[in-house]
Each structure stands twice: as structure tokens, then as C-alpha cells.
Amino acid sequence: MTVARVMVGTTENVADQARLAVLISDYEMAREDERTHIATMAAMIGVAVGLATALVAVVSQACPLVDLPLGEAEPTDCVNVKPLLLAAAPLPTLAALAFMQMIGITATLRSYYMRAIETELQRHAPGRLQELPGIPPASYIGIMSDLVSLRRGRLGYRLLSLLLYICVVLVYGGLALYVALLVPWPYRVGMIFFYGLFAVLFSVEVFATTVAGKSMFLKMVEKYADHPDRRLIPRQRRESRTGRRLWSYLLVPRPQDWIKWIIVPVVFGLLLAAGVAQPDRPPLLTAVLLWFVLEWLVYPARYQWNDIVGLADDVAHPAAAGRLRLPGRTKQELRRSVAWSWSVLLVRVALAFGLGAWLGQTVAVAWFTAAVFGIALLYEFLRGRPAAARAEVTTPVVVALWVMIGLGYVLRVAVACRLLGFALDDVRVWLVAVPFGAFGIMFVTMTWALEATSFCRPAGPELQYAPLLRQKPHIAALLPYLGRPVAEGRHDAAHATCGVDKMLEDRGRLVTPWNLAAVAALLPAGPLSLLMATGGTALPLTDPRLGWTCLILSAGAAGLLLARRTARRSPVDGATKPAFVPATAWRAVVVAVVAILLAGAMYRFDLRPLFGVVPWLVFAGFYTGFRTQSYRDLQYGLKNAITALGMALAKAGDLLLVVLVGRRTAHLLRDGRPGVDPVVPDGPEAGEPAATGRGTGDEPPERG
């Protein structure tokens, strides 16, 4: 027992000595970092002062770029400077201030950490310093904190720190404001917005570093403690609930809706190219910026609001990781995501109106902002109505929701026509807007039908959906139109398996919301086709060309709707096996045949078939392609498209490299070793080994 007690004591002493060595080393490194921090801050103060001096020299010699007050003459000894350069002149100084603040944040964390180390060291060195009675060893940072802390430090030091902050704000803020007064008002608005945001962020970070430094340090410690796995390369990176980061969501809330981004430029470009609109000078810059306002500011803000309202449903969705909605796992993360989303939503709306004012299109921006959020309000109101006793039953509220989703597409087309100079009462606007609105209903109802299948699992001939789907009656009511019996199941949404199946590939029911919407898009596409083929001339209803066009499109629509998988029997190896022709193949044949017939008819009518077949190819092509998708394909459609594009570009690059430098050199440059050229057989038949002195290597060598 004595030996054991001695051994244990020795082991504990070794462990204490090792712990003490680690603490001393850690403390020394932190003190070294503190000395480096002081030297860096001293150098950066000199840099900031130098940059401010240079900024004053540049600004004081620049000519004012705004109209001077009446009676005041423009100085003759000034230098003409571009307004963009003047507006960007304060940026280097702000970068220096931002760098100093970043160093200050690390200094705050280091200070609290060193105080914790000092407390540990005092346990290993009990007693007091002989030269400083009452003071334990390793108390330097603690004593210094009682002086420099802005929460409980010396009053004079805190007043000096406050004076320093006020001087920084007045000097650099005053310089930025003075520069803003020299430039025209569009640059002035941009400077006030950008530098104002920087000032707010800088002030918040200064407060978090100084007065709220202890809270920041405790939060960082808690965050570190919640992640005990600290490998340099973790085995599995922890992702959010939706598989994306918050900054990614705030930048692009709905990446799956990329198809909607191209509606305005496609309609604008096609009508302009077809000659339907002939403005004297196409307002391309204005059109591009207004499209940016609509698709990257207003509509994303609307999507953010929709995701905030539907956060509870998105959290419980079985395909939440692929939907890429508002991220977050814990209550704290979800609260932070909602707060940031609301902030960015308001910033987007403010930016939209700011750009509208800069372009002189404030009324237009206000008009379609009100339209987008007006439709959103009505949509959310209808979604909030109580569901029927059975979620899969089609009710008037559900039908109203299906019809309303086409209004967003009508709005986008109206914006494109407005950019071309059309008045809203122009009949040509509605010849374009009506088929695109029906196309939107077709597109979204098929998307919702596939989303509904992600809650389902097959149970014999019927589809059973999880009870969670009752919270979404507008998509649950689409399940019966797939052509299979539907019933509510008792399974959890996580056990649904139909989301990977192509549930729309077969015909299903003939009368479905997406089929009716497809007919409503394809039949009005006849007048739209002739509008583009004639270069903007709206034909009367009695024109025979309109009749022939509508007849061909009606036959094509019927062929698309009636296409179904067919079976034919063909002999294979003497046996008879079923061979299926999928419905997708029949639809592709219908699209091609109708396009040829339509182009031939328009050529016969002395019209321009190239533009006349575009509406049919767009609407019918999307209808055909969409029915080959599963819900999982839709979720990763943009990613798969980018991957396919990258592979195609890589293959094209390899082919070009082979053409330029030859196959073997291309292999050498790409793989690090030359390729093997094919050997043309000379003498023996192809596939036989060539005769050599050593044989083929398969036979034993012959002896003397």
C-alpha cells in the first residue's frame, strides 16, 4: 500500500509539472502576442494618420462636381477628378480602421484568456509577492484590466478612450461626408449608404469589443465547448439543417427558381429581336438594372418572407436538406436566421427603391414591388385558411391558390413589355402575358405535385402520404391527379420514398391542373406565334393563318396530353419479351413533328417560321422535359446542370488540346505521362500476336 501511495503521488506530481509547463508556455506565447499587438497597433495608427492626411490633400485640390450656389465661381486651381475615384478615396482609411478593429477583437479575447491562465498559475504558486504585499504572483493582466477596462476601469482612461472614438468618427466621418458633397447625387446616395453601413458596423464591433467584451468572450468559449471535435480535418463537416450556410441563403434564397430569372430577359430579347417592339434606342442599361431590382431584390425579399412564415413546415419537411430554405438546427440558430433574414429583407427593399430613384423609375419600382407583395399577402391569406377534412380533396381555396401562382409570371412578362415601351392596355402585352401565366400555373403545379410525392410511400396500388402533408393542402390535393388511389398513412415523413420516383412520366389522369394549364398556354400560343412571325402585327380572329396555326397547336396539345407508355412485342433470342416505348419518347416526337408542321405552314404563309415556332418549343419543351423529373431531380437540377456544363467544357478543352498538340503530348500535359498510340497490325491478322524473337510470352522458350 505504501508503494502504491508513493507511486500515485509521483504520478500526480509529474502530471502537475506537465500542466504547469503547458500553462507557462501558453502564458508566454500570449504575452508575446500582446507585445506584437501593441507594435502593430502603433504602426497602424501611423498608417491611418498618413492615409487621412493624403485624403485631405486629394480632396482639398479636387474640383467640385456639383452645381455651385448662385454667384459662387468655380476655383481655377483645382484638379478634375472622376467622381468614382473621389467616392472611393476614403476606402483605404476605412480598411485601416477595420484592420485595427479586428486586431482589437483578438486582443480582447487574449486578455480574458490570459486572466484565466493567471488564475491557474496562482494555484501552482500560492502565497504573495514579497515586494507587493497582498498581490499573488501572475497578476499583471488582472491589475492592467482594472486600469484599461471600459466596464470598470479608471475613469480617466475611459474618458480618453471615448474621446479617441469620437475623434475617429468626426475626422473620418467628416472627410467622407465632405467628399459626398463634392460628387453628384447618385454617388452621394451610394456613399451615404455604404459608409453609413460601415459606421454602424464599426460602432457595433467597438461596443462588442470594449463594453461587452466579457459577454463576447463567454460566447466564444461556449461555442468552442459545444464543438469538442477539433481535428484539423474533421471526419464529417457539420452542416446546417438545410445543407447550406446562412450567408448563402441570404445571398440567393431560392436557387432552384433559376428558371424564373430568365423570363424577363428572354421575353425582352425575343420581342426585341422579332421586331414586335422597335424603340428608337433600346434602354438596355435601364432594363438590366430594373431586372436586377425585380429578380435579385424584390422577389428574393418576398421569398424570404415566405420562408419565415413557413419555417415550421420547412423544418419538418422530409426533403429539407435539398430544399435549401432558411437554415438552422437549434432554437438559437433559427432565431438568428430569422433576425438576419428580416434585416436583409428590409435592406433589399430599401436598395430596390434607391436604385429606382437613381434610374428615375421610382414609380415603376413602387408599382411592381406593391404587386409582388400584394400577391404574396393574398397567397399567404389563402394558405392560412383551414384545410378540408381530407387533405387530398380539391377545394375552391386550393383552386384559387393554383390560379394565383400564375400572376407572378404575368407580372414578369408585364415588366418585360413595360421595359420595351408598351402600355399595359396594349393588346400585345396580353397576347404574351396570358400564355406565360398559364405556363406558370403548369410549371408550379407540376412542381408541387412532385413535392407532394416526397411525403408519400407506395402501399400496393395506392399512395400513402404522411400526416404532416395535411399542413399543405394546396399540394396534397394534387396527389389524386397522379392516377393512383391516395390515402393518409401512419408513417413518418422521414420514411417516404416516392420523392426519387418520376411520378409524372406516365400519363396519369387526363384532366389534371397541369394539363389544363398546358392547354391554356399552348392554345393562346397561336396568336403569340403569329405576333412574333409577323413582326408585331396583331391579326384579326377571322384571318385563316390564325386558324391554321391554332389547329396545328391544338393537335399538338392533344398529342402531348394523350401520350402514354405503350407496349409492343418483339422476338428476342427466339422468345417473345415485352418492349416498352415510354411516354416521354412519344411527347418528344409530338414536339418535333408539330414544330416542323408549324414552321412549314408559316413558310407557306410568307411569315418568319424561326420566330413563329419559339412559343411552341418553349411551352411544349418544358412540359415534356418536366414530366421526366423527380422531386429529387428538381432539388439538384441547377447543381446537376452546372456539373454537366463543367464536364462538357472539360471535354471540349481536352479535344482542343489534342488538336493543337497531338494526343500523346496532350496526355503528357494532362496526366504527366504520354499516351499510347494505337498500333496498326502489319502482317498478322488483327488480334493475333506479332511474331518476335521472344514469342508472345505465353509459351515456354524453345531450347536449342
Side-chain angles (χ1 to χ4, degrees), residues 8-25 120-121 123-125:
V8 171
T10 303
T11 304
E12 291 178 353
N13 290 334
V14 172
D16 288 342
Q17 292 175 4
R19 179 181 176 84
L20 178 61
V22 171
L23 290 173
I24 294 175
S25 176
E120 292 283 340
L121 290 175
R123 296 173 183 171
H124 289 273

Side-chain angles (χ1 to χ4, degrees), residues 238 311 327-339:
R238 179 181 176 182
L311 181 59
R329 286 178 177 268
T330 63
K331 179 176 66 176
Q332 290 76 12
E333 290 178 352
L334 291 174
R335 286 180 175 178
R336 185 190 64 172
S337 297
V338 170

Side-chain angles (χ1 to χ4, degrees), residues 341-654:
S341 187
W342 263 115
S343 302
V344 174
L345 185 157
L346 297 176
V347 169
R348 275 195 162 102
V349 174
L351 278 176
F353 279 94
L355 279 175
W358 181 53
L359 295 171
Q361 299 286 338
T362 306
V363 176
V365 172
W367 176 79
F368 59 66
T369 301
V372 167
F373 281 94
I375 296 172
L377 282 171
L378 185 57
Y379 174 82
E380 296 297 342
F381 170 76
L382 291 176
R383 277 197 60 187
R385 306 301 296 169
R390 294 180 60 84
E392 69 273 16
V393 175
T394 302
T395 63
V397 174
V398 169
V399 175
L401 278 170
W402 293 344
V403 175
M404 185 185 302
I405 55 181
L407 296 180
Y409 293 79
V410 173
L411 175 62
R412 285 180 166 94
V413 172
V415 169
C417 294
R418 181 67 182 85
L419 295 177
L420 290 170
F422 292 157
L424 292 181
D425 58 351
D426 194 325
V427 67
R428 294 174 294 181
V429 175
W430 300 105
L431 286 178
V432 183
V434 169
F436 266 96
F439 167 76
I441 298 174
M442 175 195 76
F443 179 81
V444 178
T445 50
M446 285 198 290
T447 303
W448 283 353
L450 291 177
E451 181 183 350
T453 63
S454 65
F455 290 84
C456 299
R457 70 177 182 183
E462 71 177 8
L463 288 177
Q464 292 185 353
Y465 61 87
L468 182 63
L469 189 59
R470 291 186 53 81
Q471 305 299 325
K472 295 187 173 186
H474 60 291
I475 69 173
L478 293 168
L479 284 176
Y481 297 102
L482 296 176
R484 298 178 63 175
V486 178
E488 182 176 347
R490 298 181 179 179
H491 65 280
D492 187 79
H495 298 93
T497 58
C498 293
V500 297
D501 298 330
K502 299 178 180 180
M503 303 295 291
L504 293 175
E505 190 169 17
D506 290 339
R507 188 179 73 181
R509 286 191 184 180
L510 188 60
V511 180
T512 64
W514 51 86
N515 283 344
L516 295 177
V519 173
L522 292 172
L523 295 187
L528 175 59
S529 299
L530 290 178
L531 180 71
M532 297 184 64
T534 58
T537 303
L539 300 179
L541 296 178
T542 57
D543 194 297
R545 294 176 292 182
L546 183 59
W548 278 105
T549 302
C550 291
L551 179 62
I552 295 174
L553 292 178
S554 300
L560 289 178
L561 269 58
L562 294 174
R564 62 187 305 171
R565 186 176 64 169
T566 58
R568 56 191 175 93
R569 308 186 73 82
S570 60
V572 178
D573 296 333
T576 303
K577 296 182 180 179
F580 295 98
V581 179
T584 303
W586 289 116
R587 295 190 187 103
V589 171
V590 170
V591 171
V593 170
V594 171
I596 294 173
L597 292 176
L598 191 61
M602 290 187 175
Y603 181 78
R604 176 68 177 81
F605 296 146
D606 294 329
L607 301 177
R608 298 181 298 174
L610 181 62
F611 292 103
V613 298
V614 168
W616 164 259
L617 291 177
V618 170
F619 298 145
F622 268 101
Y623 178 84
T624 301
F626 212 88
R627 299 200 66 155
T628 64
Q629 305 292 310
S630 66
Y631 188 61
R632 182 179 179 85
D633 295 334
L634 291 182
Q635 290 176 315
Y636 300 99
L638 181 59
K639 180 180 179 180
N640 294 337
I642 294 175
T643 302
L645 179 61
M647 294 177 62
L649 292 177
K651 289 183 178 180
D654 291 342

